[in-house]
């Protein structure tokens, strides 16, 4: 059974057929929001950052929202292959080991989850912020969603009303949601994003040791599951939430990048959905011209069906397993172990002189 599928936009597909996929072709690596789903990409991350890209020397922009920003920040902690393997294994274990008490059938208290998640990030990144931002090749960009109007501050009544308004605006048009939530990207101060952000209300601010962990916590702060992060240092005042709300799968205008480099996108599905509120809007799931130079890696549905509970790990597992943390952790660890096949099949594909990818 095939585990990995490779999709590509038209420009990328022609390049792959001509010369295969080379590490020095890659200029950007996006990392989607999606919570525990991102765990299955851990063996791929270890290979790409710890081995494969070592054969090249170019600057690479790492774009992440939610668990994606944690994955990309983890890459920036390593300077060699052995270190990359350790850091990604540590990241996966920290995510798997999360534990939040809750009543049967209820999701955990948002304040408790925020405190616990902040402590998890601190255990990994405290004192290493400057090291992370000084990586010689990787340039980190953390995506967050900043509330406007009712959502400018979090409260018991403002937040549900504000998200109700954002949902209605997004149903009319994605741009209209910008009246309620703007995209704020915390970027490596050495290099701005290599593509324009004209598709949606946006701004960039500089990442620094003072705001790195706050930006990452905000990027992972799913509304109603975690609390918003307010007034991040160096950024406009306000409430910041999960970057996946505005950029669920980072469907950005990669085709407008300067040069002829490719975007390598390890993902957990074929579709690149623009925003979290677009999940039910199937007409927004189609590939666009933005993805012409994207090479997307995704698991085969038949392989996914072989995983525990016949699906990818997801947040529903917290409620399914309840207080049986050991059973949930075992299921997630098995999914990560099975994902070694994604790594092996990608390595084999990269060794070919030409590569046939499916159309996005």
């Amino acid at each position: 059974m095939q585990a990995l599928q490779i999709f590509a936009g038209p420009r990328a597909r022609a390049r792959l057929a001509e010369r295969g996929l080379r590490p020095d072709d890659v200029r950007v690596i996006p990392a989607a929001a999606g919570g525990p789903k991102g765990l299955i990409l851990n063996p791929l991350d270890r290979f790409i950052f710890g081995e494969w890209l070592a054969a090249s020397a170019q600057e690479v922009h790492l774009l992440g929202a939610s668990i994606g920003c944690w994955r990309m920040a983890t890459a920036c902690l390593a300077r060699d292959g052995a270190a990359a393997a350790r850091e990604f294994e540590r990241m996966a274990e920290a995510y798997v080991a999360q534990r939040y008490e809750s009543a049967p059938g209820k999701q955990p208290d948002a304040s408790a989850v925020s405190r616990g998640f902040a402590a998890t990030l601190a255990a990994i990144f405290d004192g290493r912020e400057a090291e992370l931002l000084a990586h010689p090749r990787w340039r980190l960009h953390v995506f967050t969603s900043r509330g406007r109007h009712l959502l400018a501050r979090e409260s018991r009544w403002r937040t549900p009303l504000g998200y109700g308004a954002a949902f209605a605006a997004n149903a009319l048009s994605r741009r209209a949601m910008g009246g309620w939530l703007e995209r704020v990207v915390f970027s490596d101060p050495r290099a701005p994003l290599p593509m324009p952000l004209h598709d949606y209300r946006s701004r960039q601010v500089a990442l620094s040791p003072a705001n790195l962990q706050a930006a990452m916590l905000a990027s992972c702060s799913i509304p109603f599951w975690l609390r918003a992060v307010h007034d991040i240092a160096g950024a406009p005042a306000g409430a910041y939430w999960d970057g996946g709300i505005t950029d669920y799968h980072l469907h950005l205008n990669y085709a407008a990048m300067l040069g002829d480099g490719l975007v390598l996108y390890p993902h957990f599905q074929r579709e690149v959905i623009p925003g979290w509120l677009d999940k039910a809007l199937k007409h927004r799931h189609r590939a666009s011209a933005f993805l012409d130079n994207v090479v997307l890696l995704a698991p085969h549905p038949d392989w996914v069906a072989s995983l525990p509970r016949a699906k990818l790990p997801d947040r529903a597992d917290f409620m399914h397993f309840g207080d049986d943390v050991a059973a949930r952790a075992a299921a997630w660890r098995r999914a990560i172990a099975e994902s070694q096949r994604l790594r092996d099949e990608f390595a084999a594909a990269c060794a070919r002189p030409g590569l046939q990818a499916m159309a996005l």
Side-chain angles (χ1 to χ4, degrees), residues 38-101:
L39 292 173
I40 67 151
L41 303 173
N42 193 265
L44 267 174
D45 287 340
R46 277 182 266 153
F47 174 69
I48 289 169
F49 291 105
E51 300 178 49
W52 189 66
L53 283 175
S56 62
Q58 77 280 11
E59 174 183 275
V60 181
H61 292 265
L62 311 184
L63 285 53
S66 198
I67 191 174
C69 85
W70 191 359
R71 288 171 48 219
M72 296 300 96
T74 296
C76 294
L77 290 175
R79 298 296 190 269
D80 59 51
R86 288 195 304 271
E87 297 294 351
F88 278 109
E89 287 167 6
R90 183 184 183 195
M91 178 256 168
E93 186 54 34
Y95 201 101
V96 167
Q98 292 178 83
R99 177 175 188 148
Y100 306 106
E101 302 295 339

Side-chain angles (χ1 to χ4, degrees), residues 121-322:
L121 292 178
I124 295 173
F125 296 102
D126 259 2
R128 303 185 71 184
E129 296 90 348
E131 170 194 353
L132 184 157
L133 293 172
H135 196 283
R137 294 182 59 195
W138 314 149
R139 304 293 180 258
L140 180 64
H141 306 272
V142 175
F143 281 65
T144 68
S145 304
R146 174 178 174 263
R148 305 182 69 239
H149 305 304
L150 279 174
L151 292 175
R153 292 287 159 184
E154 184 179 37
S155 78
R156 181 173 298 179
W157 66 270
R158 290 170 66 108
T159 304
L161 284 175
Y163 273 103
F167 181 89
N170 185 68
L172 293 174
S173 81
R174 177 163 156 76
R175 280 184 178 273
M177 191 177 71
W180 297 96
L181 290 153
E182 73 173 345
R183 168 197 289 148
V184 178
V185 186
F186 290 80
S187 290
D188 188 312
R190 296 172 294 179
L193 280 167
M195 75 286 296
L197 296 177
H198 303 322
D199 61 306
Y200 187 82
R201 183 186 183 97
S202 307
R203 70 173 81 203
Q204 286 190 75
V205 298
L207 263 177
S208 71
N211 65 24
L212 174 67
Q213 286 193 53
M216 290 180 63
L217 179 60
S219 188
C220 296
S221 292
I222 305 163
F224 311 109
W225 279 78
L226 288 86
R227 296 297 182 201
V229 178
H230 286 82
D231 304 335
I232 299 175
Y240 289 77
W241 278 279
D242 196 315
I245 303 169
T246 54
D247 292 283
Y248 189 40
H249 294 164
L250 299 160
H251 193 134
L252 305 175
N253 191 1
Y254 302 110
M257 294 185 339
L258 294 176
D260 62 350
L262 296 179
V263 176
L264 178 64
Y265 197 160
H267 197 13
F268 41 78
Q269 63 182 53
R270 175 180 182 173
E271 295 79 17
V272 182
I273 302 172
W276 189 73
L277 297 179
D278 297 322
K279 287 196 292 183
L281 304 177
K282 301 296 185 183
H283 63 284
R284 296 188 188 171
H285 296 192
R286 294 189 293 266
S288 73
F290 282 10
L291 308 181
D292 280 359
N293 57 343
V294 171
V295 179
L296 185 140
L297 315 177
H300 194 287
D302 291 344
W303 176 81
V304 172
S306 73
L307 298 178
R309 301 186 64 209
K311 66 176 187 61
L312 300 176
D314 60 28
R315 287 198 312 277
D317 292 337
F318 282 107
M319 297 180 70
H320 174 80
F321 289 103

